[in-house]
Amino acid sequence: LAKTTQPISMDSYEGQEVNITCSHNNIATNDYITWYQQFPSQGPRFIIQGYKTKVTNEVASLFIPADRKSSTLSLPRVSLSDTAVYYCLVGVTGGYQKVTFGTGTKLQVIP
Amino acid sequence: NAGVTQTPKFRVLKTGQSMTLLCAQDMNHEYMYWYRQDPGMGLRLIHYSVGEGTTAKGEVPDGYNVSRLKKQNFLLGLESAAPSQTSVYFCASRDTEKGRSNQPQHFGDGTRLSIL
C-alpha cells in the first residue's frame, strides 16, 4: 500500500487559493491519486482523481509531477463552505480494497 | 436517486446488546464497504463485499459481522456491543472499473453509535 503524508491542518482566508500537498513516495505504476472532502457529520465526498499531469473539474485542480511522488490539490478562491477535512488516497481500487484513508488535512477557512 | 442510505442515523446501546446497521444503495454498484471513524482519525475499513453473497475482512473486522444477501444492501452486525465500538460508521459503494478509470466510492452520511 502506498503511504501518504499530508499536513494535519491548514488555515486560509476567504477568497484565497489553497494548495494542499500530499506525498506518496512509494506510489506504484498502476496507482491512481484520489481526493475526498468530508464535512462534519457527513460521509466523505469524491472531489477529483488523477493519474499524471493535471486534472481540472468544476471544484478543484489536481497537479501531479512527472515522478508522481506527490500531488497537490488546488482549491480556487475558497469560501467558508470549503472548511472541511481533505483526504488524499493512493491505490488501485479494484474489487479488493487497496487504499487506506489517513487522517487527512483539516482546512479552516477564515472570514 | 438517493445514493447510499444508512439506517439508523443514531443509536445508543448498552454493553452486550446486539444490533444491525443497514446500508442500502440504489446505484447498482457491485462493491460495498463498511468503515468506522473515531475522533481525530481517518476511516478504517471493517468489512467489504465485491458482490452479492460475498464478504471479506478489512483492517478492523473483530467484533463485527456482515452480510450481503441482496446486491443493494450491506448489513453490519454487532453481536455483543462493547464500549470500544462507540464510533461513527460509514457505508460506501463503488462501481466496477470502466476501462482504465478508477471508480470513486460513494458514502452515506453515517450512523453514530454510542455504547454505554
Side-chain angles (χ1 to χ4, degrees), chain B residues 13-99:
Chain B
L13 290 178
K14 293 182 180 179
T15 297
Q17 285 186 317
S18 63
M19 81 160 295
T20 301
L21 281 64
L22 172 64
C23 175
Q25 53 98 0
D26 60 3
M27 297 171 282
N28 201 37
H29 286 170
E30 288 293 335
Y31 308 144
M32 296 187 74
Y33 309 86
W34 274 108
Y35 294 89
R36 61 177 289 174
Q37 185 174 39
D38 300 302
M41 298 183 70
L43 284 80
R44 292 184 291 170
L45 182 66
I46 305 172
H47 285 281
Y48 65 97
S49 168
V50 300
E52 181 179 314
T54 72
T55 63
K57 295 180 180 179
E59 182 185 355
V60 288
D62 294 341
Y64 305 95
N65 57 73
V66 288
S67 64
R68 184 104 181 264
L69 298 179
K70 294 183 179 180
K71 185 177 183 179
Q72 63 269 32
N73 296 335
F74 195 28
L75 278 62
L76 178 71
L78 285 73
E79 290 187 348
S80 179
S84 61
Q85 295 177 304
T86 293
S87 188
V88 181
Y89 292 85
F90 288 101
C91 175
S93 72
R94 190 173 68 81
D95 201 356
T96 50
E97 308 304 347
K98 300 292 189 290

Side-chain angles (χ1 to χ4, degrees), chain A residues 32 34 36 38 40-46 49 51 87 89 91-97 99-103, chain B residues 31 33 35 37 40-43 45 48-50 59 90 94 97 100-110 112:
Chain A
Y32 282 79
T34 310
Y36 288 83
Q38 185 179 25
S41 302
Q42 293 185 23
R45 181 175 71 103
F46 170 81
Q49 181 181 94
Y51 182 77
Y87 295 96
L89 278 70
V92 179
T93 55
Y96 179 81
Q97 177 73 14
V99 296
T100 56
F101 283 80
T103 53
Chain B
Y31 308 144
Y33 309 86
Y35 294 89
Q37 185 174 39
M41 298 183 70
L43 284 80
L45 182 66
Y48 65 97
S49 168
V50 300
E59 182 185 355
F90 288 101
R94 190 173 68 81
E97 308 304 347
R100 288 202 66 207
S101 68
N102 194 247
Q103 299 299 311
Q105 296 184 42
H106 298 258
F107 285 83
D109 282 335
R112 281 149 189 79

Side-chain angles (χ1 to χ4, degrees), chain A residues 1-4 8 11 13 29 32 41 48 52 57 62 64-68 88-89 91 103:
Chain A
L1 292 176
K3 179 181 164 82
T4 61
I8 294 174
D11 291 338
Y13 288 102
T29 302
Y32 282 79
S41 302
I48 197 166
K52 59 181 179 180
N57 62 21
L62 179 60
I64 305 169
D67 66 5
R68 304 203 323 126
C88 164
L89 278 70
T103 53

Side-chain angles (χ1 to χ4, degrees), chain A residues 75-86:
Chain A
L75 304 172
R77 299 179 297 281
V78 294
S79 64
L80 295 176
S81 62
D82 291 316
T83 294
V85 178
Y86 293 82

